[in-house]
Amino acid sequence: MRTPRRPDPEVHESDYRVPAAIGTIAWAAALVVLLAMGDGLPASERWWIGVCVTGIALGVFGFLYIPRLFRKRENAAERAAERAERRSGTS
């Protein structure tokens, strides 16, 4: 016999810019290490430099985009609340 499904936990909103910044810093540190290796890095492994640059670029994009995303969500929620209020007011 199956046990009933437990309800989903409450969503915990936090500042997602912190992990984006930490990840970007980690990619930057890895890039510094790879560049410091200079000629010690085998030619077959130099593609990691591009991976680090891509990680940094995506991290910066995420760090800058997250506040915009939250503003858009907040504005959409406000508009939905206003529509619901108008509907209930005209009934």
Side-chain angles (χ1 to χ4, degrees), residues 9-20:
E10 291 294 320
V11 175
H12 175 71
E13 292 292 333
S14 65
D15 189 1
Y16 296 107
R17 291 177 298 173
V18 173

Side-chain angles (χ1 to χ4, degrees), residues 2 9 24 26 37 41 44 50 53 60 62 64 72 84 86:
R2 287 189 185 176
T24 304
M37 291 178 68
L41 185 65
S44 63
V53 171
V60 169
L64 297 174
K72 287 175 73 173
R86 277 186 266 149

Side-chain angles (χ1 to χ4, degrees), residues 17-33 52-53 55-60 63:
R17 291 177 298 173
V18 173
I22 291 171
T24 304
I25 291 168
W27 281 116
L31 179 63
V32 168
V33 168
C52 292
V53 171
I56 292 168
L58 290 174
V60 169
F63 186 83

Side-chain angles (χ1 to χ4, degrees), residues 28-70:
L31 179 63
V32 168
V33 168
L34 289 174
L35 293 176
M37 291 178 68
D39 291 334
L41 185 65
S44 63
E45 298 298 320
R46 292 192 192 271
W47 61 273
W48 278 107
I49 294 172
V51 171
C52 292
V53 171
T54 303
I56 292 168
L58 290 174
V60 169
F61 172 77
F63 186 83
L64 297 174
Y65 183 74
I66 289 168
R68 179 176 178 221
L69 178 67
F70 282 142

